[in-house]
C-alpha cells in the first residue's frame, strides 16, 4: 500500500513536531503495511511556504537515514496546496509541488466555505495538463450538505482522495456518512491517512481497512490503496470507474443539515 496523504515532516506545517516523531511515524506506517509514503505538507500562501527545493533536501536526508538504519520505506514528495488563484504560479515557481513531479496535484479547500472560483482554478490546472486531486472531500461541510458536488467535480476530471480516519468517525458523523456514500458510488480514487501525529491513525489501520471492506470488494480496495497511487506516482493515466450520483434520503438530508 501507498499512503497517499501525510504530514510526517517535522516543523514545516502542523504535522510532526520534531524529527523523532517523523521517524516514529514512518515506523508506524511500515508496521501498518505501507511500502511508500507521499509526503504532502500543506502549502498555504503566507503561512506554510516550504518550497520544493527545501522539501527535497529534507526528504533526501530522511531517506538516507532510513537506508542506513535498514528501514525500507519509499518517500515521495508532494504538497497539499490550499486552493488559490495563484496555484499555477506556485507550481511553476517551484514553491508548491505536484505529486512526485507528475501531472497530479493534491489540493484542499476551506472546510466550511465553498470557493466561488473553484471551477476556474480547476480549469486553469487542466489547461496546463495537470490533473487535480481533491483532498478529503468528505470533510467539507458544504459537500456534506450537497455531495452531488463531488459527482460534478469527478465528471469534470477531478479525482478524489479520502481519509482512512473518516470511515472510523474521526472527523464527525457527517464525514463518516458521506465518505461511505462516495465510496459506494465510485467517487473515491485514492486513500490516505492525512496523519499528523504518532499513535493516531496508523494503529487503527486494521479497523479502517475492515470497515472499508464491508463497503467494497478487495480488488477495488487494492486500486485505491496501491494501484492508483502507483500509477499517479509513475505519471501514468488512471482509468476510473463510472461514477454514480449520490442520493441522500430525506432523513439523511435533515441529519446533514443539523451537523
Amino acid at each position: 500500500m501507498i499512503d497517499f496523504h501525510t504530514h510526517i515532516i517535522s516543523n514545516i506545517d502542523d504535522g510532526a513536531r520534531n524529527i523523532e516523531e517523523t521517524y516514529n511515524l514512518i515506523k508506524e506506517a511500515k508496521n501498518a503495511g505501507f511500502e511508500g509514503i507521499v509526503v504532502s505538507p500543506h502549502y498555504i500562501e503566507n503561512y506554510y511556504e516550504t518550497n520544493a527545493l527545501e522539501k527535497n533536501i529534507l526528504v533526501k536526508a530522511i531517506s538516507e537515514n532510513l537506508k542506513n538504519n535498514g528501514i525500507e520505506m519509499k518517500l515521495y514528495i508532494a504538497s497539499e496546496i490550499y486552493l488559490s488563484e495563484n496555484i499555477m504560479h506556485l507550481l511553476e515557481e517551484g514553491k508548491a509541488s505536484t505529486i512526485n513531479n507528475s501531472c497530479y496535484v493534491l489540493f484542499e479547500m476551506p472546510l466550511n466555505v465553498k470557493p466561488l472560483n473553484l471551477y476556474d482554478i480547476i480549469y486553469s490546472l487542466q489547461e496546463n495538463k495537470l490533473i487535480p486531486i481533491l483532498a478529503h472531500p468528505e470533510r467539507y461541510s458544504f459537500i456534506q450538505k450537497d455531495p452531488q458536488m463531488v459527482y460534478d467535480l469527478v465528471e469534470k476530471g477531478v479525482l478524489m482522495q479520502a481519509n482512512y480516519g473518516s470511515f472510523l468517525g474521526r472527523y464527525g458523523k457527517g464525514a463518516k456518512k458521506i465518505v461511505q456514500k462516495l465510496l459506494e458510488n465510485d467517487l473515491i480514487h485514492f486513500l490516505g491517512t492525512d496523519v499528523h501525529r504518532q499513535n493516531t491513525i496508523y494503529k487503527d489501520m486494521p479497523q479502517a481497512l475492515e470497515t472499508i471492506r464491508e463497503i467494497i470488494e478487495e480488488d477495488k480496495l487494492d486500486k485505491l490503496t496501491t494501484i492508483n497511487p502507483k500509477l499517479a506516482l509513475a505519471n501514468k493515466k488512471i482509468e476510473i470507474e463510472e461514477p454514480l450520483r449520490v442520493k441522500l434520503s430525506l432523513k439523511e438530508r435533515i441529519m446533514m443539515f443539523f451537523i
Side-chain angles (χ1 to χ4, degrees):
M1 298 190 298
I2 306 292
D3 192 349
F4 207 67
H5 178 176
T6 71
H7 299 269
I8 66 168
I9 304 299
S10 61
N11 299 317
I12 63 174
D13 66 356
D14 59 345
R17 294 159 291 188
N18 52 59
I19 193 65
E20 182 181 5
E21 187 165 33
T22 294
Y23 287 114
N24 286 339
L25 284 168
I26 293 170
K27 291 173 184 176
E28 286 185 3
K30 186 172 180 60
N31 290 336
F34 290 102
E35 63 183 81
I37 298 172
V38 175
V39 178
S40 52
H42 294 289
Y43 191 97
I44 304 175
E45 291 177 279
N46 302 314
Y47 200 72
Y48 296 129
E49 294 189 313
T50 302
N51 64 38
L53 178 60
E54 292 168 329
K55 280 185 297 185
N56 279 330
I57 293 171
L58 290 170
V59 170
K60 183 179 179 181
I62 293 168
S63 295
E64 288 179 354
N65 186 280
L66 292 174
K67 184 178 179 180
N68 292 337
N69 285 279
I71 300 172
E72 292 186 13
M73 180 63 73
K74 294 180 180 178
L75 304 181
Y76 306 93
I77 295 172
S79 296
E80 182 185 13
I81 309 171
Y82 194 80
L83 194 73
S84 163
E85 291 182 350
N86 297 326
I87 194 166
M88 276 310 307
H89 172 74
L90 297 175
L91 291 165
E92 289 167 349
E93 294 294 313
K95 294 179 178 178
S97 309
T98 64
I99 298 171
N100 199 38
N101 291 318
S102 71
C103 64
Y104 294 91
V105 180
L106 184 67
F107 76 98
E108 64 176 332
M109 302 187 292
L111 286 176
N112 298 307
V113 181
K114 180 180 177 180
L116 297 176
N117 56 356
L118 173 62
Y119 292 96
D120 291 335
I121 295 171
I122 287 169
Y123 181 68
S124 74
L125 290 169
Q126 293 172 333
E127 268 193 321
N128 287 275
K129 302 189 183 305
L130 296 173
I131 300 173
I133 301 173
L134 177 59
H136 43 65
E138 71 276 6
R139 292 185 59 196
Y140 304 105
S141 61
F142 48 92
I143 285 180
Q144 292 175 11
K145 291 177 173 60
D146 180 23
Q148 177 64 26
M149 181 179 172
V150 175
Y151 176 86
D152 294 338
L153 287 168
V154 171
E155 284 288 283
K156 288 179 169 60
V158 181
L159 302 181
M160 300 288 155
Q161 173 265 311
N163 286 1
Y164 288 104
S166 296
F167 293 94
L168 302 176
R170 293 288 178 81
Y171 305 98
K173 294 180 181 179
K176 182 178 182 179
K177 184 67 176 179
I178 291 304
V179 78
Q180 291 173 344
K181 288 283 187 179
L182 296 179
L183 192 61
E184 290 169 357
N185 288 275
D186 291 319
L187 288 164
I188 299 297
H189 309 102
F190 306 93
L191 292 169
T193 62
D194 196 3
V195 68
H196 286 65
R197 295 286 182 270
Q198 64 191 68
N199 299 315
T200 55
I201 185 59
Y202 284 132
K203 66 181 176 62
D204 291 330
M205 279 298 299
Q207 182 184 353
L209 291 170
E210 187 58 34
T211 301
I212 294 167
R213 287 189 179 101
E214 294 173 0
I215 304 171
I216 58 174
E217 299 295 330
E218 194 70 30
D219 61 334
K220 283 193 176 182
L221 177 59
D222 192 41
K223 284 184 179 180
L224 305 188
T225 61
T226 307
I227 295 173
N228 287 352
K230 285 186 175 181
L231 287 170
L233 291 168
N235 201 29
K236 294 182 179 179
K237 184 178 180 181
I238 294 171
E239 299 291 344
I240 69 170
E241 302 284 342
E242 185 67 29
L244 302 174
R245 295 179 181 273
V246 178
K247 296 179 181 179
L248 296 180
S249 67
L250 177 59
K251 182 179 179 181
E252 288 171 332
R253 289 184 181 278
I254 292 172
M255 183 191 80
M256 292 302 170
F257 183 80
F258 286 104
I259 286 177

